[in-house]
Amino acid sequence: MANKKSLHIESSGQLCIYCGACVGICPLNCIYLDETRITFDEKVCTRCEICVKACPVGAIEID
Amino acid sequence: MAADLKTDVLVIGGGPAGSMTAKWAAQAGASVLMIEKRQEIGSPVRCGEGMSKDWLHDVGIKPGRWVNLEVEGARIYSPSEKVFEINEKHAGNEVGYVVERVEFDKQLAIDAANAGVEVRLKTAATGILKENGKVVGAKVKQFGTTFDVRAKVTIGADGFESQVGRWAGISTNIAIRDMDTCLQYRMTNVDSDSRYCDFYLGKVAPGGYVWVFPKGDGLANVGIGVQVSQVQSMAEARNYLDAWIAAHPGYAKGKKIDMVGGGVSISAPLKQTVTDGFMLVGDAARMIDPLTGGGIANGCIAGKICGTVAAEAAQTGDTSKAFLDKYEKGWRARLEEKLYRNWLAKEKLTTLSDATFDKIIDALAGVRLEKLNVHNILKAVHEKYPEVTKEFEAFL
């Protein structure tokens, strides 16, 4: 899947407030939250962009 | 490698639903382990901190220092800021307390611990244990060490972002129109009225609302929920909330001292919340009221049933889905009708224009309703704006 868009979750704390909104809405269950970090499974993610909309603070970008 | 553990009941998540489940299971004689992934029960808060109070006695929660203040009612503001006031007399205790969630959650965990529950902090579930298709516990990690907890009954109380339910094979996926993205500031030096919880409807918060829950002395939680299906661009919850605050001088002068966010499900009830050896409860089971976004009461009410059934199952040795259906039937009997009705109302309300909201609130503001229910509301609106109630024929 070389031509997938790039998804970036800013979870260093600059924007992300670790609220878990993206984790709970992800239809493929491929976003993970531990206490200080949010990650996603690059291979499973289809770039549906739902998490981008669900994030209340704009910490998830896609391009 | 730490030694594996055995317990009758394993509760994953130490929020209100988890603590209630754990407490009622322990009180019914089961050995109970409740694990919480964070270092502190109740923190970080992800909540507006407003709750009704008529249900507390039923589930054995006593008001304590977690009560911030008791409000007299709620005020619903239309887009042009006509006001409809709901007070206790006709809202049937739908309004009630503004609370300190950190203290509330801790009190419930203390109640659970005092009932005999073992509580472990910094302990996260990393997977579920299954044997022949039946859930028999979870793989957990505490302070960096991984071990198995074998349980007769495992309960997922891991909140909105629940993983445990999905691991157990229960679909908790929701549509984007069934979720709100939420952001809230705790603000000081604002002109909130300590007698009321305030709600602002319309395009200020598409598909949701702005809330102001007073905490006394010019302190208030000022927050917003926006329906995800109506989000157009990044950071929309924050942008809408900031715009609302900027447009209200009584709040624009305030200072933010705290910021919390989160997802809230506003969905119809799940089709299934139990499977062999496993039950799901609270926000994880999508039990949040789709109209208000409130999840505490329903999580606690279901938690009591869940804990009681879990203990019974552990003691009889029958932890099959067929036995645990007692919980499924129990919580549905208590909550499902209202959840479904409020979901239908939400589906309708999220489509209304600002002009329609104005008419509805204007009609309601001018009458005294004896009792607040859908029929009385529609009747009052119909008398003044019959064209509006056409849209609500399904509810009559």
Side-chain angles (χ1 to χ4, degrees):
Chain A
M1 299 280 270
N3 50 6
K4 269 187 186 176
K5 291 178 185 172
S6 105
L7 179 84
H8 177 65
I9 303 180
E10 189 295 308
S11 72
S12 69
Q14 298 257 343
L15 292 167
C16 178
I17 53 174
Y18 310 108
C19 73
C22 55
V23 179
I25 195 69
C26 177
L28 293 164
N29 200 22
C30 75
I31 307 180
Y32 315 100
L33 167 69
D34 63 34
E35 226 153 311
T36 56
R37 209 167 51 113
I38 291 184
T39 52
F40 74 102
D41 190 326
E42 179 75 37
K43 289 195 284 294
V44 178
C45 174
T46 61
R47 312 301 193 262
C48 72
E49 305 190 29
I50 287 173
C51 57
V52 179
K53 290 185 168 186
C55 177
V57 293
I60 309 179
E61 257 187 307
I62 196 153
D63 54 36
Chain B
M1 191 70 194
D4 292 343
L5 292 177
K6 265 191 180 166
T7 183
D8 285 343
V9 178
L10 169 65
V11 179
I12 300 168
S19 281
M20 284 305 283
T21 301
K23 179 181 112 171
W24 285 94
Q27 275 181 355
S31 65
V32 184
L33 170 63
M34 180 170 83
I35 62 171
E36 166 56 47
K37 71 179 172 185
R38 299 183 190 278
Q39 67 213 30
E40 182 183 352
I41 301 274
S43 178
V45 173
R46 286 194 201 140
C47 179
E49 301 187 302
M51 63 161 82
S52 56
K53 60 189 182 202
D54 57 332
W55 54 276
L56 290 162
H57 179 73
D58 278 356
V59 297
I61 301 174
K62 290 191 186 73
R65 63 179 179 183
W66 50 268
V67 177
N68 226 300
L69 55 81
E70 197 169 348
V71 292
E72 289 172 19
R75 293 183 299 198
I76 316 288
Y77 288 80
S78 75
S80 67
E81 306 215 344
K82 290 183 167 59
V83 189
F84 171 51
E85 186 185 320
I86 300 169
N87 58 45
E88 265 186 31
K89 280 181 215 90
H90 57 225
N93 281 330
E94 200 53 53
V95 289
Y97 293 137
V98 178
V99 308
E100 286 293 323
R101 270 297 297 277
V102 174
E103 293 291 335
F104 178 77
D105 288 26
K106 281 196 172 74
Q107 185 59 57
L108 266 51
I110 290 166
D111 291 348
N114 289 344
V117 173
E118 184 187 346
V119 183
R120 291 205 183 195
L121 303 175
K122 274 284 195 204
T123 307
T126 60
I128 212 106
L129 301 176
K130 271 191 181 180
E131 269 169 20
N132 305 320
K134 180 176 187 148
V135 177
V136 294
K139 195 165 269 306
V140 310
K141 196 172 177 182
Q142 182 180 27
F143 299 127
T145 306
T146 300
F147 54 94
D148 289 349
V149 177
R150 294 192 64 90
K152 291 176 184 162
V153 183
T154 303
I155 289 148
D158 53 333
F160 175 75
E161 70 265 31
S162 178
Q163 303 288 303
V164 179
R166 303 184 198 198
W167 291 337
I170 293 174
S171 170
T172 57
N173 283 354
I174 48 172
I176 54 174
R177 70 170 204 284
D178 286 332
M179 175 188 172
D180 270 11
T181 170
C182 302
L183 193 71
Q184 171 184 277
Y185 303 120
R186 185 174 291 202
M187 298 183 75
T188 186
N189 192 33
V190 296
D191 292 343
S192 53
D193 188 328
S194 290
R195 294 172 299 173
Y196 300 100
C197 283
D198 291 336
F199 301 83
Y200 294 80
L201 305 177
K203 290 290 172 277
V204 292
Y209 58 81
V210 169
W211 66 83
V212 177
F213 294 166
K215 294 174 82 76
D217 297 326
L219 192 68
N221 286 338
V222 183
I224 193 169
V226 177
Q227 192 178 23
V228 175
S229 55
Q230 300 200 39
V231 168
Q232 306 289 332
S233 59
M234 282 171 64
E236 209 150 276
R238 192 181 65 210
N239 294 339
Y240 272 108
L241 182 57
D242 289 346
W244 185 90
I245 290 169
H248 290 79
Y251 296 91
K253 71 187 173 90
K255 295 185 171 76
K256 298 162 191 162
I257 58 160
D258 190 2
M259 177 176 173
V260 300
V264 170
S265 63
I266 47 170
S267 64
L270 293 181
K271 288 197 168 56
Q272 182 196 350
T273 58
V274 305
T275 185
D276 288 315
F278 182 84
M279 296 187 275
L280 204 57
V281 68
D283 289 7
R286 311 299 187 213
M287 288 173 176
I288 292 176
D289 185 310
L291 198 56
T292 65
I296 303 168
N298 289 352
C300 289
I301 290 164
K304 177 181 174 181
I305 303 166
C306 187
T308 309
V309 171
E312 210 180 318
Q315 280 151 9
T316 59
D318 183 357
T319 60
S320 66
K321 179 178 181 300
F323 189 90
L324 299 180
D325 264 339
K326 207 167 167 178
Y327 160 66
E328 183 100 57
K329 290 198 178 81
W331 80 255
R332 286 186 197 280
R334 186 79 167 70
L335 303 172
E336 186 170 42
E337 192 193 330
K338 188 177 177 194
L339 283 173
Y340 193 71
R341 186 161 27 92
N342 284 359
W343 176 74
L344 285 175
K346 181 272 300 187
E347 289 284 277
K348 187 72 212 169
L349 288 172
T350 52
T351 66
L352 298 185
S353 68
D354 278 6
T356 304
F357 273 128
D358 275 328
K359 284 179 183 167
I360 292 172
I361 300 299
D362 180 52
L364 294 175
V367 295
R368 281 208 65 80
L369 293 179
E370 276 300 306
K371 191 169 167 18
L372 196 69
N373 57 38
V374 173
H375 184 263
N376 285 350
I377 288 172
L378 289 177
K379 213 174 113 198
V381 175
H382 188 76
E383 276 165 21
K384 197 161 180 186
Y385 298 107
E387 74 279 10
V388 171
T389 47
K390 274 191 199 122
E391 297 188 41
F392 292 90
E393 271 161 5
F395 291 90
L396 285 168

